[in-house]
Amino acid sequence: MDLQLTGKRALVTGSTGGLGEEIARTLAAEGVAVVVHGRDRDRAEAIAEEIGGTVAIGDLATDEGADAVAEAAKEVDVLVNNLGVFDPSLTWDSLSADDWNDIYNVNVVASVRMIKRFVPGMRERGWGRVIQISSALSDYPMDTQPHYAATNAARNNLAASLSRELKDSGVTSNAVAAGGILTPKAKVRLTELGRQSGWGETWEDMAETAGRRLTTMVDVGRIGLPREYADMVTFLASPRSAYVTGATLRVDGGWH
Ligand SMILES: NC(=O)c1ccc[n+]([C@@H]2O[C@H](COP(=O)([O-])OP(=O)(O)OC[C@H]3O[C@@H](n4cnc5c(N)ncnc54)[C@H](OP(=O)(O)O)[C@@H]3O)[C@@H](O)[C@H]2O)c1
């Protein structure tokens, strides 16, 4: 399928690592001019150089950081709001009201800051794609990190509201909920869990056991790869997804 993405311009927030980096690389491989974003300029520039993109640096927890990113990125056709933070060790007891406010600011309001700066231009030009990265925990919250799960429900919800707002504009708005994806950070966390559970010492030792034990609630029966997630985002970013809007698509292997 020709995704017709050549010549489009995209900003992927939080693309100096993890899922964001994979999305940036996958879009670039389809001919998209990608703006790599993060707070660490060296990491952003290294990735941008590899994929033929440019960089925008700024802390999206603040309006000033968002302004700096908007100025550097200029106009974009595709906005992927990927930036998000989480910590599975946090619990109801250990989380303060400030922690809830802080994560909402980064995981939700940072996306709104980007929407306010980039979507008016898309609307004026009559074409655009806005994609919220979220998590399957939006539908399946656990006892730990309740604040993170709640921000993901908000991400899906705001994607649908924005779709209503953008009715008949040529700009679509969707969310993609990830579950069980083996990002570099996830690999480190799972390796630690595997050591504690006696599955082995390195990820390579324990990959098969970890895959079996950790995916009892996943229909595909294995952990997902970042590329499998990035492919869905890339399809949504393309003109071929014109009849998909207001949706939350799940890339979670059928997690339930
Ligand atoms: N990993 C998973 O398995 C998983 C599962 C479900 C959903 N998700 C979602 O996927 C997204 C990416 O997760 P990830 O694990 O791939 O992330 P990650 O590896 O931790 O990367 C986070 C990115 O965000 C940037 N960043 C962090 N705080 C920032 C801030 N205040 N302002 C600007 N940039 C900031 C970091 O760059 P700098 O350090 O350069 O600032 C980095 O590029 C998140 O929204 C997460 O909720 C992930």
Side-chain angles (χ1 to χ4, degrees):
M1 185 192 287
D2 174 9
L3 290 179
Q4 303 166 354
L5 271 167
T6 305
K8 299 283 186 205
R9 192 172 156 78
L11 167 65
V12 183
T13 67
S15 47
T16 58
L19 283 184
E21 179 180 345
E22 190 70 22
I23 293 165
R25 289 181 184 280
T26 309
L27 286 169
E30 291 296 324
V32 176
V34 178
V35 183
V36 178
H37 162 261
R39 290 165 302 181
D40 183 323
R41 181 174 289 280
D42 289 347
R43 267 164 52 211
E45 283 179 348
I47 294 166
E49 196 177 314
E50 264 185 64
I51 66 174
T54 54
V55 304
I57 306 302
D59 183 348
L60 297 186
T62 68
D63 287 337
E64 298 70 35
D67 285 340
V69 170
E71 198 177 324
K74 311 227 172 357
E75 286 171 351
V76 297
D77 308 298
V78 176
L79 168 62
V80 182
N81 274 324
N82 164 76
L83 160 63
V85 290
F86 58 99
D87 179 349
S89 70
L90 295 172
T91 62
W92 279 95
D93 278 347
S94 62
L95 285 163
S96 67
D98 284 344
D99 293 329
W100 280 79
N101 273 328
D102 288 349
I103 199 167
Y104 198 84
N105 182 37
V106 173
N107 287 6
V108 181
V109 182
S111 291
V112 177
R113 290 189 177 100
M114 293 292 91
I115 287 166
K116 284 188 162 295
R117 284 161 178 78
F118 290 102
V119 173
M122 293 179 193
R123 198 176 213 165
E124 229 173 84
R125 295 189 298 278
W127 196 90
R129 298 283 181 264
V130 186
I131 302 164
Q132 307 300 318
I133 299 316
S134 77
S135 161
L137 293 181
S138 54
D139 284 338
Y140 302 109
M142 301 181 300
D143 52 345
T144 57
Q145 51 176 347
H147 64 331
Y148 173 68
T151 60
N152 283 294
R155 289 161 149 182
N156 298 346
N157 191 282
L158 79 84
S161 170
L162 186 62
S163 171
R164 311 287 104 83
E165 165 65 20
L166 293 170
K167 182 175 167 52
D168 207 14
S169 67
V171 185
T172 64
S173 164
N174 294 287
V176 185
I181 309 286
L182 193 66
T183 57
K185 276 188 188 167
K187 198 190 257 187
V188 170
R189 260 198 326 275
L190 295 180
T191 304
E192 187 48 42
L193 177 75
R195 275 194 204 114
Q196 287 165 13
S197 310
W199 298 342
E201 274 309 303
T202 65
W203 177 253
E204 287 63 36
D205 290 343
M206 66 180 75
E208 205 195 313
T209 313
R212 240 187 2 260
R213 299 281 179 92
L214 298 171
T215 59
T216 52
M217 291 182 302
V218 175
D219 291 337
V220 172
R222 63 171 172 81
I223 300 172
L225 303 173
R227 181 59 194 258
E228 293 174 304
Y229 184 83
D231 282 347
M232 175 66 90
V233 175
T234 301
F235 168 72
L236 273 183
S238 79
R240 305 299 292 262
S241 71
Y243 205 58
V244 183
T245 191
T248 297
L249 305 178
R250 285 170 44 190
V251 180
D252 61 5
W255 188 2
H256 56 90

